[in-house]
């Protein structure tokens, strides 16, 4: 499996922190230079966002930073297509990683054949009630893969992606219709179904406390109802989500905590 982390040239401290984490966990990760939406000479939305009259679900304007983030993840996916591996582990640089991730990224045979996108992170608050579909995949006594119904589990802090899905996303990205985490992990854009996407619980990656996203503050919501079709699509999706909630399993979001003694834990894991 290829392992990539996305990092801006200007974020030297973040890069050094991530390199320290990888060293302590004995992870060989390749840095992918992030595209900096703050320094581009023209609005990225003029090139990449679809015309307003063709926006049929996500209607608000994307910021330069959101588009740059999307393009940075695409850089990782394009790199995957150049390599022999079928899977990539893609991370951002504002994260904490549990040492329990080691066996899961060294051997991907645990991933069911029909799943091609696995979310390892979560931005859902720990202890918050979640609802997930009844069908799940038990990985071992600690972990299972679930399909979260509510709340929508977005966030691209860390995920596993198969090159088939990477290729499809690249093909579909002539226009950028929504932020990358919405495209991959919200059920409204097709990839949750196409990739048969599941989430790991307990989560293995979480946001680094006190560290702000390089994207900055994002706008809330999907934007205004530009026409009746947008209203109908959103209403139908809301009703679907509500229905799925009532036939789903109620659970709590949990995590495997990162340990400051990552090296010792790694030695213990490898000795098992």
């Amino acid at each position: 499996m290829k392992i990539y982390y996305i990092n801006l040239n200007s974020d030297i401290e973040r890069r050094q922190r991530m390199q320290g984490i990888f060293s302590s966990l004995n992870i060989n990760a390749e840095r992918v230079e992030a595209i900096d939406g703050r320094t581009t000479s023209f609005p990225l939305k003029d090139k990449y966002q679809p015309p307003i009259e063709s926006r049929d679900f996500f209607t608000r304007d994307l910021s330069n930073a959101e588009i740059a983030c999307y393009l940075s993840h695409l850089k990782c996916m394009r790199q995957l297509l150049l390599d022999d591996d079928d899977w990539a582990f893609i991370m951002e640089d504002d994260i904490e990683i549990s040492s329990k991730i080691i066996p899961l990224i060294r051997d991907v045979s645990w991933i069911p054949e029909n799943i091609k996108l696995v979310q390892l992170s979560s931005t859902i608050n720990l202890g918050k009630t979640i609802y997930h579909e009844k069908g799940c995949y038990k990985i071992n006594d600690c972990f299972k893969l679930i399909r979260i119904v509510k709340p929508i589990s977005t966030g691209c802090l860390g995920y596993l992606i198969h090159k088939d899905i990477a290729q499809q996303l690249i093909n579909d990205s002539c226009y950028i219709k929504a932020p990358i985490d919405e495209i991959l992990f919200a059920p409204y854009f097709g990839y949750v179904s196409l990739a048969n996407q599941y989430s790991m619980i307990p989560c293995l990656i979480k946001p680094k406390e006190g560290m702000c996203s390089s994207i900055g503050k994002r706008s809330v919501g999907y934007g205004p109802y530009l026409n009746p079709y947008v209203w109908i699509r959103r209403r139908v999706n809301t009703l679907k989500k509500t229905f799925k909630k009532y036939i789903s399993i109620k659970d709590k979001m949990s995590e495997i905590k990162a340990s400051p003694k990552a090296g010792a834990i790694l030695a213990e894991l490898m000795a098992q």
Side-chain angles (χ1 to χ4, degrees):
M1 178 189 292
K2 301 301 295 185
I3 303 176
Y4 306 109
Y5 75 102
I6 299 168
N7 170 257
L8 288 165
N9 273 345
S10 59
D11 283 337
I12 298 173
E13 289 186 8
R14 291 190 180 201
R15 179 157 66 250
Q16 293 173 339
R17 190 184 71 86
M18 292 299 292
Q19 290 170 346
I21 291 173
F22 298 142
S23 177
S24 69
L25 295 175
N26 197 24
I27 292 175
N28 182 22
E30 178 180 338
R31 177 179 173 267
V32 173
E33 181 185 341
I35 296 170
D36 194 342
R38 301 167 298 184
T39 60
T40 55
S41 58
F42 65 94
L44 290 172
K45 66 181 180 181
D46 290 351
K47 180 177 181 180
Y48 290 104
Q49 195 159 20
I52 193 165
E53 63 271 11
S54 67
R55 300 177 197 176
D56 59 1
F57 192 82
F58 192 99
T59 60
R60 72 167 173 84
D61 281 346
L62 295 171
S63 69
N64 257 22
E66 287 175 315
I67 295 174
C69 178
Y70 192 112
L71 296 174
S72 299
H73 281 264
L74 282 192
K75 284 181 70 174
C76 296
M77 297 178 197
R78 288 193 175 96
Q79 188 60 43
L80 170 62
L81 297 183
L82 297 176
D83 293 318
D84 294 331
D85 296 85
D86 289 333
W87 285 88
F89 173 26
I90 299 176
M91 294 169 279
E92 296 179 347
D93 66 357
D94 53 346
I95 61 173
E96 293 281 7
I97 310 173
S98 167
S99 55
K100 295 290 186 181
I101 204 170
I102 302 291
L104 300 176
I105 60 175
R106 289 195 170 170
D107 179 6
V108 295
S109 61
W110 58 271
I111 304 176
E113 289 186 5
N114 61 330
I115 293 177
K116 295 190 174 182
L117 181 62
V118 179
Q119 188 180 42
L120 300 177
S121 61
S122 178
T123 54
I124 300 174
N125 292 333
L126 300 179
K128 183 178 177 66
T129 298
I130 60 173
Y131 296 86
H132 62 83
E133 294 181 4
K134 292 181 179 179
C136 67
Y137 294 89
K138 185 177 180 180
I139 306 304
N140 54 33
D141 290 339
C142 273
F143 300 107
K144 61 183 177 181
L145 294 176
I146 62 172
R147 174 75 60 78
I148 298 176
V149 172
K150 190 175 181 180
I152 301 300
S153 180
T154 54
C156 280
L157 297 173
Y159 59 96
L160 308 179
I161 188 168
H162 192 276
K163 64 178 13 174
D164 290 349
I165 300 304
Q167 181 67 75
Q168 186 65 51
L169 187 65
I170 291 168
N171 294 344
D172 289 346
S173 296
C174 177
Y175 283 123
I176 296 176
K177 298 179 180 179
I180 183 65
D181 58 334
E182 296 282 351
I183 292 291
L184 287 178
F185 300 116
Y188 316 125
F189 302 98
Y191 278 87
V192 168
S193 298
L194 179 67
N196 197 26
Q197 181 265 319
Y198 276 73
S199 300
M200 182 75 75
I201 189 171
C203 64
L204 290 156
I205 296 172
K206 67 175 184 177
K208 169 66 176 174
E209 189 174 350
M211 187 173 285
C212 298
S213 170
S214 298
I215 295 177
K217 188 174 182 180
R218 285 168 57 167
S219 299
V220 178
Y222 281 14
Y225 298 111
L226 297 179
N227 54 59
Y229 180 63
V230 173
W231 183 88
I232 291 170
R233 281 200 67 194
R234 290 186 187 172
R235 186 60 180 164
V236 167
N237 278 281
T238 298
L239 292 173
K240 284 181 179 178
K241 188 168 69 171
T242 301
F243 173 74
K244 285 184 176 180
K245 171 186 172 182
Y246 286 107
I247 61 173
S248 297
I249 294 175
K250 189 176 180 180
D251 209 334
K252 295 284 186 182
M253 178 52 67
S254 58
E255 65 162 327
I256 296 290
K257 292 186 177 179
S259 169
K261 300 179 180 178
I265 294 177
L266 170 62
E268 178 184 344
L269 282 170
M270 300 311 294
Q272 292 177 358

